Amino acid sequence: MTLKLDINPIKAWMPNIDNPLLISGPCSLETEEQTMETARLLAKDKRVFVFRGGVWKPRTRPGSFEGVGSIGLKWLQQVKEETGLPVGTEVANAQHTEEALKAGLDVLWIGARSTASPFVVQEIADVVKGTDTVVMIKNPVNPDVQLWMGAVERIHQAGVKNIVGIHRGFTPFRETKYRNYPNWKTFIELKRLLPNLPVICDPSHIAGTREYLFEISQKAFDMGMEGLMIESHRDPSCALSDAGQQLTPADLGKMLDKLVIRYENASNPEFDNQLDVLRNRIDAIDAELLETLASRVQIVKQIGEYKRDNNVTALQINRWTQLMENRVKLGQSMDINETFVKILFQLIHEDSVRMQTEIMDQE
């Protein structure tokens, strides 16, 4: 069910923004010098609106660099004072949140591991209650849209209206070229459920390596996301965390130059007219698809009754294997994506087996 929460658009708390929101800075603040030099370089690019820097770094296993701690908050204060950029960091518990608010940070974000714990989110919500701070919420490590949505609701119930979702990808369940699987459909579902929630993309954590940052960033704009959070370091080769996915400020600027920004609406009235024509055609085709599927359902039920009366199992793996091979070949001949065909017929077949077993259980 769609939920209309009273959430501010980005422009409400950043009125001077004239481009998609870009948040950039090091994965981790390492030294005062590294922080300030990176910030000065990023501040020269007027497309960068917020400076980010990890202060507390929750690592999967102990022993790796876990951040400089509270001293980093002072460096962020210096960045804000010198460059004028709003500053932000990740918070993972109530103490982090209290210290960040006391330091006057503008943006706090909740990481993927923290979003996965309603207890942690509630702890943070209790601290930010009634403030006008900006709270950004990364998706949980698994593609659980209800968990992501629940975190947004907890922060909103604390009286916070400046909320942004961050799509950073999900722990992959199979081999993928990315560090975290994008699973764009989870973002689409979140926007369907929370249509007025601004959502930005974190290409750095999806990609895991610099070579994929552009394609993911462009995909984010193509999907209608409202900004990016990209890690940038003065010298990524020396970074103490996530070195492979960070860009120098100069390389970040070059990548931004190549990106095409998309908008939800066009100023050309002819575009809207033509779009309506094409969408009406889609609606008609979808109606035909559903009618065809309804006819297929009736045949599946007849097959279920026939199998029941002859004591034959609902699932017949040889038939299923042959069906999938034939449908994939047919789809390829029509220039339809193989993965799409496999997913589509997997769903259709699963529901066919479900219907047949229900018919058999009616005896």
Side-chain angles (χ1 to χ4, degrees):
M1 183 179 67
T2 298
L3 188 61
K4 291 289 183 71
L5 299 182
D6 184 14
I7 297 175
N8 289 330
I10 292 172
K11 202 167 181 62
W13 48 267
M14 187 163 283
N16 296 325
I17 193 168
D18 56 359
N19 268 301
L21 176 65
L22 177 61
I23 302 172
S24 192
C27 172
S28 301
L29 303 185
E30 299 160 358
T31 66
E32 182 179 346
E33 180 187 9
Q34 169 249 8
T35 300
M36 297 309 299
E37 183 178 344
T38 304
R40 292 183 188 115
L41 291 169
L42 287 171
K44 292 178 180 179
D45 192 326
K46 299 308 177 185
R47 293 168 294 189
V48 177
F49 294 103
V50 178
F51 180 83
R52 58 145 288 155
V55 173
W56 303 282
K57 299 298 297 179
R59 312 305 293 175
T60 302
R61 298 179 64 186
S64 55
F65 180 64
E66 295 187 332
V68 295
S70 302
I71 186 65
L73 298 175
K74 295 183 179 180
W75 302 343
L76 288 172
Q77 289 174 322
Q78 288 178 239
V79 169
K80 184 176 180 178
E81 183 177 348
E82 181 177 324
T83 68
L85 288 172
V87 293
T89 197
E90 178 179 346
V91 293
N93 56 43
Q95 181 182 341
H96 292 171
T97 310
E98 289 169 357
E99 290 188 44
L101 290 178
K102 187 177 180 180
L105 268 60
D106 306 280
V107 175
L108 310 179
W109 72 85
I110 301 173
R113 294 178 181 86
S114 299
T115 303
S117 171
F119 294 104
V120 171
V121 175
Q122 188 60 55
E123 185 178 306
I124 294 170
D126 291 341
V127 177
V128 299
K129 186 173 184 178
T131 69
D132 60 358
T133 191
V134 178
V135 180
M136 300 188 173
I137 303 168
K138 291 195 174 185
N139 60 255
V141 291
N142 294 318
D144 187 337
V145 73
Q146 293 297 322
L147 200 55
W148 196 2
M149 186 176 175
V152 173
E153 290 180 279
R154 288 178 185 277
I155 297 299
H156 183 264
Q157 287 173 359
V160 177
K161 295 184 178 181
N162 300 327
I163 307 174
V164 177
I166 304 177
H167 177 229
R168 52 79 77 190
F170 305 89
T171 301
F173 59 89
R174 56 179 170 79
E175 188 175 341
T176 170
K177 68 178 183 179
Y178 303 126
R179 174 182 176 182
N180 289 301
Y181 184 60
N183 200 17
W184 302 102
K185 65 182 181 181
T186 304
F187 152 71
I188 295 172
E189 182 65 4
L190 180 73
K191 286 295 291 182
R192 185 184 72 82
L193 295 170
L194 291 173
N196 60 333
L197 174 71
V199 180
I200 66 173
C201 185
D202 178 352
S204 302
H205 280 87
I206 292 177
T209 60
R210 282 180 284 278
E211 65 178 306
Y212 300 128
L213 289 176
F214 172 78
E215 68 177 68
I216 295 168
S217 299
Q218 186 59 65
K219 176 76 170 182
F221 285 144
D222 294 346
M223 297 285 286
M225 293 195 191
E226 297 183 44
L228 305 171
M229 176 184 278
I230 299 184
E231 293 178 348
S232 179
H233 191 292
R234 65 174 181 176
D235 185 359
S237 66
C238 299
L240 299 180
S241 60
D242 290 345
Q245 66 192 39
Q246 300 192 67
L247 293 170
T248 65
D251 286 340
L252 173 64
K254 292 176 183 176
M255 189 191 82
L256 295 176
D257 290 340
K258 296 190 297 180
L259 287 172
V260 177
I261 299 170
R262 312 288 185 190
Y263 301 94
E264 187 172 354
N265 298 299
S267 56
N268 179 8
E270 185 58 35
F271 168 83
D272 291 332
N273 292 335
Q274 185 60 26
L275 191 62
D276 285 341
V277 170
L278 294 173
R279 283 174 171 170
N280 287 335
R281 290 173 61 186
I282 286 286
D283 291 343
I285 292 171
D286 285 350
E288 291 179 15
L289 279 173
L290 289 172
E291 290 174 3
T292 301
L293 286 172
S295 298
R296 191 184 195 280
V297 165
Q298 294 307 313
I299 296 173
V300 166
K301 289 179 178 179
Q302 292 177 30
I303 291 174
E305 292 170 356
Y306 193 55
K307 286 179 178 179
R308 178 197 61 197
D309 295 343
N310 290 273
N311 290 326
V312 174
T313 59
L315 175 63
Q316 297 189 318
I317 197 65
N318 289 337
R319 162 65 179 166
W320 164 231
T321 301
Q322 183 185 40
L323 183 149
M324 180 63 86
E325 290 176 354
N326 290 341
R327 302 308 183 265
V328 168
K329 286 181 181 178
L330 183 59
Q332 288 174 334
S333 70
M334 299 176 179
D335 198 27
I336 302 177
N337 180 271
E338 178 180 340
T339 301
F340 171 75
V341 173
K342 286 181 177 180
I343 293 173
L344 174 62
F345 278 93
Q346 180 73 42
L347 291 171
I348 289 174
H349 185 257
E350 286 177 1
D351 200 56
S352 297
V353 171
R354 177 194 61 79
M355 284 188 288
Q356 291 183 26
T357 53
E358 286 180 356
I359 289 171
M360 291 175 180
D361 290 340
Q362 290 173 1
E363 279 190 304

